[in-house]
Amino acid sequence: MSLTTPNTNPQAATQGTSTPSTPSTPSTPGPEPIIRCTNIAKLFDGRTVLENINLDIYPGETMVIMGGSGSGKSTSLRLMIGSMRPEQGTIEMFGKDICTLSESQLNDIRKQFGILFQSGALFNSMTIAENVALPLQEHTRLDQDIIDIQVKIKLELVGLREHADKYPSQISGGMKKRAGLARALALDPKILFYDEPSAGLDPVTSAQIDQLMLALTKQLGVTSVVVTHEMDSAFTIADRMAMLDKGRILKVETRQWYERLRDMPAEQVADLPEDEQLIRQFLRGDADGPITARRDQSAFTDDLFNS
Ligand SMILES: Nc1ncnc2c1ncn2[C@@H]1O[C@H](COP(=O)(O)OP(=O)(O)OP(=O)(O)O)[C@@H](O)[C@H]1O
Ligand SMILES: [Mg+2]
């Protein structure tokens, strides 16, 4: 038995799934993907860390990429922002294959997306306002007074206008994240990439960042790609979710599909395909299940052959 896909979002719900339980081509014509990853493989030192990655992301949606530590989430994000290239496959953004672009062509595309790094990555010697102004000074020819207005608008969006003149060392971790977000928004990007936006934040601050991300998506219509292993956050912000495991995408489905898998009664679990059992364990954070069974098994095998 396998979960069937709900019809809440027919365009998205039929995209990118790999098992026979759901079709892999859209049944209705819809918008073109804003990002299309096709058959991506990435190797480090001859070791495959991503393989056969197929993922379409549509305008205006929030796609959450989740998975255990080392499953390849950050690497996927780095490939999508063009900071490294895959050994195989194509990554189309706004219809262009970014893997074949020169650095200057890539820079033009980069102006259309914002990135929120894990730490916020602010410059400590600059005020919050100066940090947010930086992309506008580097990438536009706007007058300083127009830049000042833009900075105020972006700081107001993230609720930091009254802290504009503080330095990063004078604000909390959650405020740094918000300042990083204001900077990521400086050039009015069409796509926002986030790597672990809730990492290191207390639950309340983390929930506030989730609400801010939701509000921004609604108000500005941006497409968001969010890497996280915080399940509360994932279920709050996602339209669709992609589960990575050991460099492979197990499933791309709607948030509702993942909710149903998470909440499925335990007595029905044995009938699920193994991948779905594994995903369910991950979503619920259960101590027992295929993930831990696999770990125990491989530890035993290593022990057996290395002794
Ligand atoms: N620059 C690199 N050189 C060599 N190996 C790397 C490099 N970057 C990542 N890896 C390896 O690729 C695999 C995937 O790493 P990645 O950082 O994408 O995982 P992740 O899912 O983001 O994990 P985490 O949740 O811990 O951040 C890991 O085995 C990692 O050790
Ligand atoms: Mg990572």
Side-chain angles (χ1 to χ4, degrees):
M1 187 185 90
S2 174
L3 289 174
T4 50
T5 306
N7 276 332
T8 48
N9 183 352
Q11 170 67 27
T14 51
Q15 291 296 314
T17 51
S18 53
T19 65
S21 57
T22 45
S24 61
T25 48
S27 52
T28 49
E32 287 295 303
I34 196 163
I35 304 173
R36 166 163 277 177
C37 302
T38 309
N39 201 22
I40 299 290
K42 180 70 197 163
L43 284 79
F44 286 120
D45 311 320
R47 190 169 67 91
T48 302
V49 297
L50 287 175
E51 69 178 317
N52 195 24
I53 300 294
N54 291 293
L55 185 63
D56 287 348
I57 298 168
Y58 287 88
E61 76 168 333
T62 296
M63 170 67 77
V64 167
I65 300 175
M66 58 188 176
S69 194
S71 57
K73 305 181 296 296
S74 296
T75 305
S76 311
L77 209 63
R78 276 186 230 128
L79 291 169
M80 283 187 228
I81 63 175
S83 76
M84 54 173 69
R85 290 180 193 226
E87 269 64 46
Q88 191 185 306
T90 56
I91 301 170
E92 286 164 65
M93 201 177 283
F94 309 111
K96 287 190 185 133
D97 181 3
I98 62 162
C99 309
T100 59
L101 298 181
S102 67
E103 198 55 30
S104 75
Q105 290 169 318
L106 205 50
N107 275 335
D108 281 340
I109 296 238
R110 284 199 183 109
K111 284 180 205 159
Q112 299 184 64
F113 60 76
I115 308 166
L116 182 65
F117 294 102
Q118 192 161 331
S119 59
L122 302 169
F123 291 102
N124 288 326
S125 59
M126 294 180 179
T127 65
I128 303 308
E130 287 165 352
N131 265 284
V132 178
L134 201 61
L136 292 159
Q137 285 157 345
E138 281 182 345
H139 296 296
T140 71
R141 294 187 183 161
L142 296 172
D143 290 340
Q144 189 57 44
D145 18 338
I146 305 286
I147 291 182
D148 291 344
I149 293 169
Q150 285 289 331
V151 167
K152 279 193 185 132
I153 292 171
K154 297 301 167 348
L155 286 176
E156 177 67 18
L157 270 175
V158 302
L160 279 185
R161 198 164 46 81
E162 62 276 33
H163 301 283
D165 297 325
K166 291 193 175 147
Y167 287 86
S169 60
Q170 297 172 306
I171 59 174
S172 69
M175 286 159 87
K176 278 186 203 150
K177 283 269 159 78
R178 285 192 273 152
L181 193 47
R183 194 178 57 185
L185 290 168
L187 295 169
D188 296 319
K190 296 194 174 70
I191 309 175
L192 275 171
F193 293 97
Y194 303 81
D195 197 356
E196 305 282 1
S198 329
L201 300 179
D202 68 66
V204 173
T205 311
S206 168
Q208 285 176 329
I209 296 283
D210 291 342
Q211 292 306 318
L212 180 58
M213 289 162 70
L214 277 173
L216 290 175
T217 309
K218 212 163 149 196
Q219 284 171 29
L220 308 176
V222 288
T223 307
S224 300
V225 184
V226 186
V227 158
T228 188
H229 53 236
E230 307 270 342
M231 286 302 103
D232 286 348
S233 172
F235 279 109
T236 305
I237 59 177
D239 294 310
R240 290 192 302 147
M241 301 158 89
M243 173 76 191
L244 265 180
D245 179 58
K246 293 176 169 255
R248 287 186 312 131
I249 289 189
L250 296 186
K251 206 75 168 166
V252 183
E253 274 294 353
T254 59
R255 184 189 69 235
Q256 293 85 347
W257 185 92
Y258 277 98
E259 277 167 350
R260 288 197 297 142
L261 180 62
R262 179 194 60 190
D263 300 337
M264 174 179 275
E267 56 273 18
Q268 294 175 17
V269 172
D271 297 331
L272 291 173
E274 182 155 343
D275 280 355
E276 292 179 17
Q277 293 189 28
L278 188 150
I279 297 169
R280 185 173 180 277
Q281 183 187 1
F282 185 83
L283 298 176
R284 296 167 61 87
D286 289 340
D288 295 321
I291 299 173
T292 23
R294 182 175 70 184
R295 242 178 241 162
D296 294 347
Q297 186 59 37
S298 71
F300 173 64
T301 313
D302 287 350
D303 193 26
L304 204 63
F305 292 110
N306 291 328
S307 57

